[in-house]
Amino acid sequence: MSSAMLKKPNLTEGPIFSRIILVAPPLMASNLLQALYNSADMIIVGLSPVKDAVGAIGVSTSLLHLLVNLFIGLSVGTNVVVARHIGEGDENKVSAAIHTSVVMSFIFGGAFGILGFFISKPMLIFMGAEGELLELANIYSQIYFIGAPFLALTNYLSSVYRAKGDTKTPLIVLSLSGLFNVLLNLFFVLAVGLSVEGVAIATVLSNVASAAVLIIILMKDKGFCHFSIKKLRLDKREFFDILYIGVPVGIQSTLFSISNTIIQSSILEVNNLMCPEGSSYQAVIQGNAAASNIENLVFAAANSIPQAIVSFVGQNLGAKKYERVTKITIYGFIISALTSAIFSITVFLLKNPLLYLYGVTDTPDLLGQLAFSTATKRFVFHLAPFIFFGIMDMASNIAKAMKKAITSTAITLVGTCIFRIIWILTVFRAFLNLESIFISYPISWILTGIVEILLVIFTIKSEKKKQSDTADTDTAERP
């Protein structure tokens, strides 16, 4: 047995529950730290004298997620493909998939970075941003798009580590780069006197640093996942395998962002209706941005469980251990539901001190009351039923790991994206208030989750039947 084989990462043997508990927490901590560092952008920019700085980042978020979610979606393809090859024990395919992924990150990162840079202002105008809010949001977005290749590379590399069951390395690297980001934020905003442009530059530089460190560590890997600049090339088979899984996930994530962009434009519309003309800042936008940013902590924690489970499912499918896949799926749903409930309840109970960090407080003035009321309403409609998001997200990720990416994407497209767009065009138009916007999220989580669960159950039964039929055929052919 080769030394490389000895270092083959393995999630196909041993107790399942304890392995998940070992793998998931570092990934959760990494996601939470990333969300916290992103929150720091908004909190620190709030220390600048620019009134609409917090709102500008909040408005930009929906647009930027078009890019970020696309990369995250495509990187799921890397996770699944690399994990499957590890389960098969094929070192050459693992290497080809990793090097292909790195090339893909620069191709797609560069292309979408250029596209995003030039369409950011027209998109923000389409969403309803205007005046100083528009200019600030555009500056922040354009600088962010410049760093797109390094953001993409960081996501692809993190997926490689997750595929082999190593969630500690990304945790350490992303934690340090996040701290670097916060220090740069403080320097650019407080020392240099910049506003949104300062935190955007800090984000780009931290992504460059994290991508560089993750690459260097992989270059020192002695096993299946060793990276070498000399091996950089697009392997046709691995490229299309990654795209087969990653593109539907990326499209799904992008469509999520498109529907969220439409929702953001509806919130801007409510803001224009509720804020008195000549207001010193956009209160509804600020309250929604603060609540959304805090909710990202809950999303980060909940999403870490499906991310971990994808690696387990991928490796065990590659090893054709379908009974383990069933157990992994059951454990995944249980842990995901508990995680979603615990974090959503905790954040809701701590909402007042958390909102205070963003300058959103229950004050007697009209704008302060409007911002606080907006944030509180969003929490009520999103955090109380958040367990349904956790279940939906788990089912969707498991389906994709089971090579049902296209079907799962179609379900999510109809159940969330199209549903929310129709909702905004009908129900919201009838009421023109925040409640009619926020309630569309939990309804779409429930509808989509039910269908995704049915897809997972059907797929597991189908794979077991194939295995049983193959075993019967082999038995019949023996003399």
Side-chain angles (χ1 to χ4, degrees), residues 2 24 73 134 189-190 203 209 211 220 241 257 265 361 372 392 394 402 409 424 446 452 469:
S2 68
L134 169 62
V189 173
L190 300 182
T203 299
K220 296 181 178 180
D241 279 351
S257 299
S265 67
T361 57
F372 184 79
M392 178 201 73
M394 176 60 69
M402 292 177 173
T409 297
I424 292 298
I446 293 170
E452 291 278 14
D469 291 344

Side-chain angles (χ1 to χ4, degrees), residues 207-337:
N207 281 327
V208 172
S210 59
V213 174
L214 288 170
I215 276 283
I216 291 170
I217 295 173
L218 273 187
M219 291 175 73
K220 296 181 178 180
D221 189 290
K222 301 300 182 182
F224 271 30
C225 298
H226 174 73
F227 174 81
S228 172
I229 296 177
K230 295 179 180 179
K231 293 183 179 180
L232 273 179
R233 67 183 182 89
L234 275 177
D235 182 282
K236 184 177 179 180
R237 183 184 182 88
E238 302 304 326
F239 176 73
F240 285 109
D241 279 351
I242 292 170
L243 287 184
Y244 179 77
I245 297 168
V247 167
V249 181
I251 291 173
Q252 172 185 309
S253 300
T254 302
L255 290 172
F256 261 127
S257 299
I258 291 173
S259 66
N260 288 338
T261 300
I262 294 172
I263 288 172
Q264 180 66 52
S265 67
S266 302
I267 293 171
L268 276 163
E269 185 175 348
V270 173
N271 176 85
N272 295 336
L273 290 173
M274 298 181 70
C275 279
E277 189 174 348
S279 298
S280 58
Y281 67 95
Q282 308 302 318
V284 173
I285 297 300
Q286 180 170 338
N288 181 72
S292 175
N293 201 255
I294 294 169
E295 283 175 9
N296 285 339
L297 295 172
V298 187
F299 278 94
N303 186 247
S304 62
I305 306 302
Q307 286 180 350
I309 293 298
V310 163
S311 301
F312 280 84
V313 172
Q315 285 201 25
N316 282 277
L317 278 177
K320 303 188 184 305
K321 295 187 176 182
Y322 301 113
E323 289 298 328
R324 284 179 64 87
V325 171
T326 302
K327 292 179 181 178
I328 290 166
T329 300
I330 294 171
Y331 286 137
F333 278 118
I334 294 172
I335 298 171
S336 184

Side-chain angles (χ1 to χ4, degrees), residues 353-392:
L354 288 172
L355 288 170
Y356 178 80
L357 295 173
Y358 298 81
V360 177
T361 57
D362 191 8
T363 57
D365 68 280
L366 177 61
L367 290 179
Q369 282 285 335
L370 197 52
F372 184 79
S373 172
T374 299
T376 302
K377 286 177 182 176
R378 180 170 178 124
F379 280 150
V380 168
F381 283 96
H382 288 187
L383 294 183
F386 193 78
I387 188 172
F388 297 111
F389 170 82
I391 294 172
M392 178 201 73

Side-chain angles (χ1 to χ4, degrees), residues 4 34 36 93 105 112 136 148 156 158 204-205 210 225 244 246-247 267 285 291 298 306 309 342 398 423 474:
Q34 283 295 101
L36 284 170
K93 287 185 178 180
S105 69
F112 285 100
L136 291 170
Y156 274 99
S158 297
V204 171
L205 292 177
S210 59
C225 298
Y244 179 77
V247 167
I267 293 171
I285 297 300
V298 187
I309 293 298
I342 291 170
I398 290 174
W423 184 278
D474 291 342

